[in-house]
Amino acid sequence: MTTITTRTVEYPADGLTMLGHLALPAGTDRRPAVLLGPEGTGLSDVERRRADALAELGYVALAFDIHGGRYLGDPEEMLARCMPLLADPDRMRGIGHAALDVLRAEPRADPDRIAAVGYGTGGAIALELGRDGVDLRAIGTVNGLITGRPYEAARIRCPVWAGVGSEDPIMPPAQRDAFTAEMQAAGVDWRLVVYGGALHAFHHPPVDHTVLPGVGHHPRHAQRAWHDVVALLAECLPVRE
């Protein structure tokens, strides 16, 4: 295992001071970079560990913040913040661009070779960066299959991979169908993996606080979804040793 280094990065976004987690691979050379977005509860050790794992694979990874350093374990508080955010593409893009600017400014990151991967709200933000025409090499979203404003998906310039649980009541079949219809109509290179029997946030390890109905961990599919994300990056954003 390579030796990675990590640090917390402060930056402004959405009227808040965000606290992102930057993970750097060993060495001094420039590497492809990955923007990693969290579920609606916010940045936690789950995303920090994922950023670290990507750094061990050779990527510069920034797990970005969406709540100004807070983790919203109370479902009502989380919904009160995330529902207006998810309904406002410009706010989502603002949060995404602020994190992207931090990642691009990192000397180890190749600013021309960046992918965006996110979970839930973080996945919706990754998609909005694509709809805003950002030059990304890949977009991955797990249970963040939010449709955008009409015709803006045509500005997505990279492959899009999406994953969702078959039993996810928050991203039901109608939502999946709307998302895939949007991608197809826009001519996007897209794919959708439906993980049989999985609920919403199936990728996230169990938590010690109340969760929304329809949320639940699925260990086997969680591992498969991570492997699918890594495969997406290997295909679209290979690390050149």
Side-chain angles (χ1 to χ4, degrees):
M1 185 180 295
T2 58
T3 302
I4 66 167
T5 57
T6 65
R7 70 175 186 268
T8 300
V9 289
E10 285 191 21
Y11 60 96
D14 202 40
L16 301 168
T17 298
M18 300 298 188
L19 302 175
H21 176 82
L22 183 68
L24 303 174
T28 58
D29 57 329
R30 280 198 163 183
R31 294 295 184 92
V34 181
L35 203 58
L36 187 69
E39 284 282 351
T41 45
L43 182 59
S44 72
D45 284 344
V46 172
E47 292 81 24
R48 294 183 187 99
R49 285 194 296 268
R50 286 180 180 146
D52 294 352
L54 291 174
E56 287 166 1
L57 293 172
Y59 297 98
V60 173
L62 175 64
F64 66 87
D65 185 8
I66 58 175
H67 300 318
R70 299 184 63 216
Y71 178 86
L72 306 184
D74 175 59
E76 290 187 9
E77 185 181 16
M78 182 272 291
L79 289 174
R81 173 155 170 82
C82 286
M83 295 310 289
L85 177 62
L86 290 168
D88 190 337
D90 292 324
R91 275 184 69 198
M92 286 195 283
R93 291 176 187 187
I95 290 173
H97 274 290
L100 190 61
D101 288 347
V102 171
L103 188 56
R104 283 177 169 157
E106 165 53 47
R108 294 290 311 283
D110 183 342
D112 298 320
R113 299 181 69 218
I114 295 177
V117 175
Y119 298 83
T121 299
I125 290 171
L127 284 167
E128 281 304 326
L129 287 175
R131 294 186 184 107
D132 202 29
V134 173
D135 183 15
L136 298 168
R137 294 300 180 93
I139 294 171
T141 178
V142 180
N143 46 260
L145 281 60
I146 306 295
T147 49
R149 291 183 291 218
Y151 312 114
E152 290 190 339
R155 300 167 72 185
I156 294 175
R157 302 159 63 182
C158 64
V160 171
W161 173 92
V164 67
S166 70
E167 306 309 299
D168 183 345
I170 298 170
M171 291 287 142
Q175 179 64 40
R176 304 199 302 255
D177 291 347
F179 171 76
T180 58
E182 177 196 22
M183 295 294 111
Q184 184 63 22
V188 175
D189 175 2
W190 66 273
R191 68 195 114 156
L192 172 68
V193 177
V194 180
Y195 297 94
L199 297 170
H200 191 74
F202 67 90
H203 63 90
H204 199 291
V207 294
D208 59 0
H209 58 74
T210 303
V211 297
L212 293 171
V215 169
H217 183 50
H218 194 299
R220 191 161 58 248
H221 284 323
Q223 189 173 37
R224 287 169 174 162
W226 175 250
H227 289 161
D228 286 344
V229 166
V230 171
L232 171 74
L233 297 174
E235 175 194 340
C236 301
L237 194 68
V239 175
R240 301 178 187 129
E241 295 295 347

